[in-house]
Amino acid sequence: MQRRSWIATTVVVLILITAGGIGALWSLRQTQKSEFIKRLTGGDPARAPTLMIKYGCASCHDIPDLHGPSGRVGPSLHALSERVYIGGVTTNTPENLVRWITNPKALSPRTAMPVTGISEAQARDVAAYLYVHQ
């Protein structure tokens, strides 16, 4: 009986160590991804949630990990980094995403997405958030 107990304890400990290692690796990868996206977009994803509510993004879009309104007028912004096109009209690059966020009508005059008045710097924060949060 003691041998079974020892084996069971060992298995549990190994599972916990493995899970902890996986969690630590995931956390490290998220940090690295966030830093890479910050450099790529020139924005800070931590500032974006307030901006997305202030400028009405969340009124029209379902936005990953954003607590607050969750609109259904525009498309969901989940997995945006995996899409080929932004707004169906331009390739998905950080610069194009910032252009789309600041002035979508310049890229697609008939789009329903409004020009909100968000600045380029603020749009970079939003772009960083959308690329980091899946």
Side-chain angles (χ1 to χ4, degrees), residues 40-41 80 84-87 89-104 106-108 113 120 123-124 127 131:
L40 192 66
T41 61
L80 183 84
V84 176
Y85 294 103
I86 296 168
V89 296
T90 188
T91 54
N92 188 353
T93 67
E95 288 305 313
N96 284 341
L97 181 55
V98 170
R99 288 174 58 215
W100 179 259
I101 292 168
T102 57
N103 190 0
L107 296 169
S108 181
M113 185 161 155
E120 181 180 330
R124 290 186 179 284
Y131 283 141

Side-chain angles (χ1 to χ4, degrees), residues 11-25:
V11 169
V12 168
V13 168
L14 288 174
I15 290 170
L16 291 174
I17 290 171
T18 302
I22 291 169
L25 180 61

